[in-house]
Amino acid sequence: MESTNNEVAHEFRFFRVYKDGRVEKFEWTQNQKIPPSDDPITGVQSKDVVISTEPSISARIFLPKIHDPTQKLPLLFYIHGGGFCFESAFSPLYHNHLISLASKANAIAVSIEYGLFPERPIPACYEDSWAGLQWVASHVNRNGSESWLNKYADFNRVFIGGDSGGGNVSHTLAVRVGSIGLPGIKVVGVILVHPFFGGMEDDQMWLYMCPTNGGLEDPRLKPPQEDLAKLGCERVLIIFAEKDHLRGVGECYYKELKKSGWVGTVEAVEHEGEGHIFHLMKPDCEKAVDLVNKFASFINQQE
């Protein structure tokens, strides 16, 4: 029987919570999904793989056009944004973005489909993404379940990247790699695009989505210097948008990382006059093309 109690207890950026506990995501957050396909323009192929059935974790893999079958390619492990509660690796926005990234960087991309609030509250996003990265690592002996990774992936050139909430998850994965390692895998770099961190009004939304949270000082929300110091990579690229509502917290992360004692190198790029995830909304604009080019150059930068 449908509840008649429509009194709102909490209203956040992406959803509202009623007094009876119901969660209602706003209509514009509804996910559209499209199947994998071969892109006729770039030659990028894609396919979906199941990583786990319980919990349900999957990924879409993108393989650029192969010119030399003996050449090993860098691997990008990508975590989509969407406030931990919407969007998908299978949405048109991310499907098309990953085609662009795989083509421009000449890299295999593994775009993880992780559990979303409210069906799977935080920390599902972190744990599912870690399981996905471990699945990638299961291919280092060239006998894993996915032939594209066995045949083409260079496991000494792995990159972790994501936008918005996916940038937050990317940071957390890099800390875990630096803390406990990932045998057979070398994470060279991390790319954070318009990343979400604590220090703004959306903190309360994150805390609500994570029933086991550690408060406003939770290290996933507000990374402490000891976590920043052990990022398990050599290089970090942070991409800002001048008019992004997350610009300030991203700048804070950048400054804290530089003074944390981490031994790697961090680079920042900003696109003036642009807002949050502008590159997904208008992928053909000059600055979106520049963002993809910067992303690809970072992956292919010589050590």
Side-chain angles (χ1 to χ4, degrees):
M1 185 173 172
E2 192 173 338
S3 171
T4 56
N5 180 5
N6 286 324
E7 196 175 348
V8 175
H10 305 284
E11 184 127 355
F12 298 115
R13 187 182 297 274
F14 303 126
F15 59 89
R16 64 172 60 97
V17 183
Y18 292 98
K19 286 277 180 72
D20 62 4
R22 285 178 299 129
V23 173
E24 180 185 42
K25 292 185 189 177
F26 299 135
E27 189 173 343
W28 58 269
T29 68
Q30 299 309 306
N31 294 335
Q32 181 188 357
K33 297 182 181 182
I34 59 174
S37 59
D38 295 349
D39 183 60
I41 298 172
T42 62
V44 173
Q45 302 175 67
S46 58
K47 68 165 85 165
D48 293 345
V49 297
V50 174
I51 291 172
S52 166
T53 54
E54 190 54 50
S56 177
I57 310 170
S58 55
R60 181 160 292 178
I61 306 179
F62 298 82
L63 182 72
K65 189 172 183 179
I66 299 300
H67 300 285
D68 177 0
T70 66
Q71 181 188 8
K72 296 293 185 279
L73 305 175
L75 185 144
L76 169 64
F77 187 82
Y78 195 87
I79 304 110
H80 71 78
F84 313 99
C85 62
F86 72 104
E87 265 302 339
S88 168
F90 309 146
S91 76
L93 286 181
Y94 285 102
H95 177 83
N96 293 328
H97 183 50
L98 268 293
I99 285 175
S100 296
L101 290 175
S103 175
K104 195 67 184 180
N106 197 33
I108 298 176
V110 176
S111 184
I112 190 76
E113 180 77 342
Y114 54 86
L116 301 173
F117 176 88
E119 293 78 15
R120 306 242 351 265
I122 297 172
C125 53
Y126 302 108
E127 299 310 319
D128 292 1
S129 297
W130 179 246
L133 199 54
Q134 289 179 304
W135 176 82
V136 167
S138 73
H139 294 77
V140 294
N141 293 321
R142 308 290 171 189
N143 60 357
S145 61
E146 176 42 53
S147 59
W148 285 356
L149 269 59
N150 291 332
K151 188 171 182 180
Y152 297 113
D154 183 346
F155 296 105
N156 286 314
R157 287 191 293 160
V158 172
F159 294 80
I160 301 172
D163 62 277
S164 197
N168 176 283
V169 177
S170 297
H171 155 81
T172 305
L173 294 187
V175 172
R176 199 172 293 194
V177 170
S179 301
I180 64 176
L182 196 61
I185 293 281
K186 180 181 179 183
V187 177
V188 177
V190 171
I191 304 103
L192 308 178
V193 182
H194 311 163
F196 165 78
F197 291 104
M200 54 176 297
E201 60 181 306
D202 288 339
D203 294 7
Q204 295 303 319
M205 181 177 67
W206 186 93
L207 294 172
Y208 187 86
M209 290 189 288
C210 183
T212 57
N213 71 74
L216 290 172
E217 298 300 313
D218 189 298
R220 296 163 295 188
L221 188 61
K222 187 178 180 183
Q225 286 210 343
E226 56 266 30
D227 277 7
L228 293 168
K230 58 189 177 191
L231 284 185
C233 61
E234 299 172 352
R235 300 188 272 121
V236 170
L237 172 64
I238 307 176
I239 300 180
F240 297 118
E242 181 190 14
K243 295 183 177 178
D244 182 7
H245 66 285
L246 298 180
R247 176 71 176 79
V249 294
E251 176 73 21
C252 182
Y253 178 91
Y254 172 67
K255 290 178 178 176
E256 290 296 315
L257 179 58
K258 288 215 295 187
K259 65 183 185 185
S260 69
W262 176 61
V263 295
T265 57
V266 57
E267 174 187 353
V269 171
E270 181 172 46
H271 294 101
E272 293 182 2
E274 299 293 351
H276 192 61
I277 62 163
F278 75 92
H279 59 292
L280 298 178
M281 301 303 175
K282 40 183 187 176
D284 297 324
C285 77
E286 183 180 346
K287 289 174 183 173
V289 172
D290 180 73
L291 186 150
V292 169
N293 287 342
K294 292 283 197 309
F295 206 121
S297 296
F298 182 80
I299 288 175
N300 289 297
Q301 181 179 318
Q302 296 301 311
E303 298 299 307

